[in-house]
Amino acid sequence: LDPSDIDDEDTFKILIATDIHLGYLEKDAIRGNDSYNTLDEILKCAKTNQVDFILLGGDLFHDNKPSRRCLHNCITMLRRYCMGDTPIHFNILSDQNVNFNTTEFPWVNYQDENLNISIPAFSIHGNHDDPTGAEGLCALDLLSASGLVNHFGHSHSVEKIEISPILMQKGKTKLALFGLGSIPDERLYRMFVNNQVTMLRPKEDQDEWFNLFTIHQNRSKHGPTNYIPEQFLDDFIDLVVWGHEHECLIAPTRNEQQLFYVTQPGSSVATSLSPGEATKKHIGLLRVKGRKMNLEKIPLKTVRQFFIQDVVLADYQDQFTPDTPQVTKKVEDLCYAKVTEMLEEAERERLGCLLTPEKPLIRLRVDYSGGFEAFNTSRFSQKFVERVANPKDIIHFLRRREQKEDIKGQTEVNVDYGKLLKTTAVEGLRVEDLVKQYFEATEQTVQLSLLTEKGMGKAIQEFVDKDEKDAIEELITYQLEKTQRHLQARGVTTEQDIDAEVRAAACMGNRAEEVNVAINRAKALRLERGDEPVDADLSRELALDSDEDSVPFPPPARGRGRGGRGRGGRGRGRGELSYYLSQIKAH
């Protein structure tokens, strides 16, 4: 797009952001306001630049059930920056009953006669704030019903997806906005392979439309089908706004196979201490005129600085070896020097920028392979309590995987199964991976027979991510009841025949359907008790700091007692997961 054409009556101006994760660590004394401050900056930027609309690529909220404080802050900021008398200069030409099919007010908020909107906000949902419950509602639907956000891209079908664009026109420029809210990657991958995903296009003047697609899925490959390859997307698209990935790669990159561009804005708050989060955070100001575009990178000033370094102790043999006297003290001194260097760099960068928080995030990953020992990280952290935002987890010790020795000729291989379920946090590990690892490590005598690993993983994921407290129990109860009815109908009495019938029934059953039935039963039971929604402020009042390891505790008792849950939402740790896995073994 020619700079001389910028900001005329035919040019769309769109502010693009993804993965704001509002409410992340909101109870942390130091970092609690980070996500709120950055959303305020993003909305203020939209108003300053007089954009036509804001486009959010999912995960506006960090928790599936945001706290009252989180919702209050979000609504306050949206009302402050997005409501007003400024006229809207574009029209919507498509059927809004199809575009906004999750609300009883199926029209764009600025056309509502009871609202005064100056900057419309359009958003898909992410995997953190995705629809749950019998009604399929998410936090975005609350904002949509109140007229503050236009929630689109919600697919109700799990068998076939039709993505109908929001068709907009400003002057002579026509924009088709496609959106697809987060769907489990394996399922969406399978649907693309089976040609069950269709992107609808206007019948007339197809070549005159600029096609903008917003998606919230894994872009990098996490497994054979646990991502969405770019080549799955239609080649008529002009620009893809890719949410979910937190690394900021906002400069559009061209896919040479499909001939479209992809922009990955990344997150606006660091939710993990990994290298991808250390990239400087930006939002984008997209200008579209005709079929041409221009994307301006806007650096965020309120984001807390994050520095990360790797240290391999084996590379410092000129200073110490594992046999050196007081080697642990020397290693600790080296780490102290590295952390101090990062703090000095942060201070230099922060000079003159009053909006940047004072205390940075610091992470030093120490590879102590080769016979070295870890030192006391708690004592080390005390030296930086007043200088860093994350004093509890500055140091992360890790060991490089040892190369497998030649085992040719050996009759058995010793495997330390205890390492598979270490209690230390593993970045990016999913619940279903933990379940699979657990049963791979157990003896053959305690393998699942009535249930499947995948089904159990799904139930535990509902328990952990969506707060469905009865999902695991209902899955087990449902499967036991069904198996008992099957055995009674067959008239089986001997233990050997029972085993054979159970295996035969397992092969014949539709496990996916059984899991869905059990989860729906759990949801119905929760609604019957009146447990939705459980206020996050109450459920997390006794929560541990999110950076600490969880401690094992038994499952919550039925009812709404305040002390029944040690950690809310995504904060549940492996201790509780291990407890449930042990109960599965008992069944």
Side-chain angles (χ1 to χ4, degrees):
L1 185 63
D2 191 332
S4 62
D5 294 336
I6 286 178
D7 300 349
D8 60 14
E9 65 276 5
D10 296 325
T11 303
F12 273 100
K13 291 175 65 178
I14 309 164
L15 190 89
I16 294 176
T18 67
D19 297 271
I20 293 171
H21 287 274
L22 209 59
Y24 176 70
L25 287 187
E26 65 178 346
K27 292 187 180 295
D28 188 286
I30 300 173
R31 303 160 66 184
N33 288 320
D34 285 5
S35 62
Y36 302 127
N37 292 337
T38 303
L39 177 62
D40 188 86
E41 180 186 5
I42 291 170
L43 295 178
K44 188 180 293 183
C45 179
K47 189 168 186 176
T48 302
N49 285 280
Q50 298 179 333
V51 300
D52 290 300
F53 64 89
I54 298 168
L55 178 61
L56 303 176
D59 281 354
L60 172 60
F61 296 100
H62 182 71
D63 288 317
N64 192 266
K65 298 176 181 177
S67 67
R68 277 183 297 215
R69 178 196 176 198
C70 183
L71 283 171
H72 177 265
N73 285 348
C74 182
I75 290 169
T76 299
M77 285 185 275
L78 287 171
R79 179 172 175 175
R80 177 181 298 129
Y81 293 109
C82 296
M83 299 186 82
D85 296 327
T86 307
I88 307 294
H89 297 293
F90 67 91
N91 295 316
I92 293 187
L93 310 178
S94 52
D95 183 354
Q96 297 187 49
N97 286 287
V98 177
N99 298 145
F100 309 112
N101 55 10
T102 63
T103 175
E104 294 184 18
F105 309 99
W107 52 82
V108 69
N109 60 353
Y110 76 83
Q111 291 182 351
D112 193 309
E113 59 185 13
N114 298 311
L115 299 172
N116 221 12
I117 303 295
S118 59
I119 304 178
F122 296 86
S123 180
I124 61 171
H125 63 261
N127 58 307
H128 280 246
D129 51 11
D130 60 330
T132 59
E135 301 84 5
L137 295 174
C138 64
L140 281 179
D141 291 315
L142 299 179
L143 301 180
S144 176
S146 60
L148 295 170
V149 167
N150 301 292
H151 178 204
F152 74 110
H154 181 189
S155 173
H156 296 279
S157 172
V158 297
E159 298 177 353
K160 187 176 182 180
I161 296 175
E162 284 191 346
I163 307 173
S164 183
I166 303 173
L167 302 179
M168 308 174 178
Q169 183 166 1
K170 181 181 181 183
K172 298 178 182 178
T173 299
K174 297 179 179 179
L175 176 70
L177 176 60
F178 297 83
L180 182 61
S182 177
I183 295 175
D185 288 292
E186 293 90 342
R187 182 196 301 168
L188 186 57
Y189 186 103
R190 185 171 61 251
M191 295 177 80
F192 269 113
V193 169
N194 295 330
N195 296 318
Q196 294 171 328
V197 180
T198 306
M199 298 184 73
L200 304 178
R201 301 181 67 185
K203 292 182 179 179
E204 301 176 356
D205 305 321
Q206 289 189 350
D207 294 334
E208 295 183 7
W209 292 88
F210 184 91
N211 299 292
L212 176 61
F213 181 39
T214 310
I215 188 172
H216 190 99
Q217 304 290 153
N218 280 334
R219 186 182 178 193
S220 56
K221 190 171 183 179
H222 293 266
T225 61
N226 194 22
Y227 76 115
I228 303 301
E230 291 180 10
Q231 59 266 29
F232 278 8
L233 307 183
D234 287 85
D235 57 5
F236 68 81
I237 297 171
D238 295 294
L239 178 66
V240 179
V241 177
W242 207 297
H244 185 61
E245 299 286 357
H246 280 208
E247 183 178 3
C248 182
L249 302 172
I250 198 165
T253 55
R254 181 179 170 90
N255 183 299
E256 296 300 335
Q257 183 176 343
Q258 300 296 87
L259 303 180
F260 52 61
Y261 287 87
V262 180
T263 177
Q264 182 178 302
S267 67
S268 55
V269 62
T271 60
S272 67
L273 301 178
S274 58
E277 295 278 19
T279 309
K280 301 303 179 187
K281 307 289 189 183
H282 294 79
I283 53 175
L285 182 57
L286 176 68
R287 292 176 170 90
V288 176
K289 182 175 182 180
R291 294 295 303 276
K292 297 180 179 180
M293 69 171 183
N294 173 272
L295 183 63
E296 177 187 345
K297 294 168 52 176
I298 300 177
L300 292 170
K301 300 175 182 177
T302 57
V303 175
R304 191 175 296 276
Q305 296 167 289
F306 174 34
F307 294 88
I308 183 169
Q309 278 191 28
D310 292 332
V311 171
V312 180
L313 298 184
D315 293 343
Y316 292 84
Q317 293 184 1
D318 56 330
Q319 299 183 30
F320 48 72
T321 66
D323 300 325
T324 302
Q326 295 185 318
V327 62
T328 304
K329 178 68 167 58
K330 295 181 183 297
V331 170
E332 189 170 340
D333 290 342
L334 173 67
C335 293
Y336 182 88
K338 293 290 184 182
V339 171
T340 303
E341 284 177 15
M342 286 189 277
L343 284 169
E344 290 172 351
E345 184 181 355
E347 197 168 338
R348 286 193 298 271
E349 280 193 11
R350 199 171 59 248
L351 284 175
C353 191
L354 301 177
L355 297 177
T356 304
E358 182 181 352
K359 296 180 181 179
L361 296 168
I362 299 292
R363 169 53 68 93
L364 186 66
R365 301 193 299 185
V366 182
D367 183 343
Y368 67 120
S369 306
F372 291 95
E373 292 185 1
F375 55 77
N376 188 315
T377 56
S378 297
R379 186 177 65 241
F380 180 88
S381 298
Q382 290 299 316
K383 302 173 184 178
F384 299 98
V385 167
E386 300 298 326
R387 301 180 65 188
V388 301
N390 60 315
K392 295 179 182 177
D393 52 9
I394 298 173
I395 301 292
H396 177 59
F397 283 106
L398 53 92
R399 276 191 174 138
R400 190 173 57 251
R401 287 186 178 179
E402 302 293 339
Q403 293 293 325
K404 292 183 178 179
E405 297 180 3
D406 185 12
I407 57 173
K408 192 174 182 179
Q410 294 184 15
T411 56
E412 62 179 47
V413 180
N414 293 322
V415 179
D416 185 359
Y417 289 116
K419 291 182 179 178
L420 291 176
L421 287 174
K422 293 187 295 183
T423 57
T424 53
V426 179
E427 294 173 356
L429 195 60
R430 299 173 300 144
V431 171
E432 51 266 44
D433 296 329
L434 288 174
V435 175
K436 186 175 181 180
Q437 287 183 5
Y438 179 87
F439 286 108
E440 284 177 351
T442 56
E443 301 87 353
Q444 187 63 34
T445 54
V446 290
Q447 291 294 321
L448 293 173
S449 55
L450 295 184
L451 309 172
T452 62
E453 293 172 8
K454 192 170 184 179
M456 204 63 238
K458 173 66 174 172
I460 294 176
Q461 187 175 19
E462 289 285 321
F463 174 82
V464 174
D465 288 352
K466 310 296 171 57
D467 210 18
E468 291 294 349
K469 295 185 287 186
D470 302 305
I472 300 171
E473 182 180 347
E474 286 298 328
L475 176 64
I476 295 171
T477 302
Y478 173 79
Q479 195 59 50
L480 281 172
E481 291 173 353
K482 183 179 177 183
T483 306
Q484 287 167 354
R485 289 196 299 269
H486 175 77
L487 293 176
Q488 289 171 356
R490 302 283 291 182
V492 180
T493 56
T494 66
E495 187 173 337
Q496 186 175 1
D497 291 342
I498 288 175
D499 288 341
E501 281 295 332
V502 167
R503 285 194 293 270
C507 295
M508 295 169 56
N510 185 339
R511 292 303 171 88
E513 182 180 339
E514 292 164 0
V515 172
N516 289 332
V517 169
I519 290 172
N520 287 335
R521 281 174 49 162
K523 291 174 181 176
L525 188 61
R526 166 173 49 74
L527 292 172
E528 185 180 320
R529 290 198 308 265
D531 276 5
E532 184 181 14
V534 178
D535 182 63
D537 284 334
L538 298 182
S539 67
R540 293 179 190 151
E541 192 161 300
L542 302 178
L544 300 172
D545 187 282
S546 67
D547 293 329
E548 294 177 344
D549 288 334
S550 303
V551 291
F553 52 90
R558 293 183 183 272
R560 300 189 63 176
R562 290 178 65 165
R565 293 159 56 197
R567 296 188 75 166
R570 293 183 171 274
R572 283 192 172 86
R574 295 197 189 183
E576 192 168 2
L577 178 58
S578 299
Y579 176 88
Y580 273 104
L581 290 173
S582 66
Q583 296 306 299
I584 297 164
K585 286 172 61 177
H587 281 285

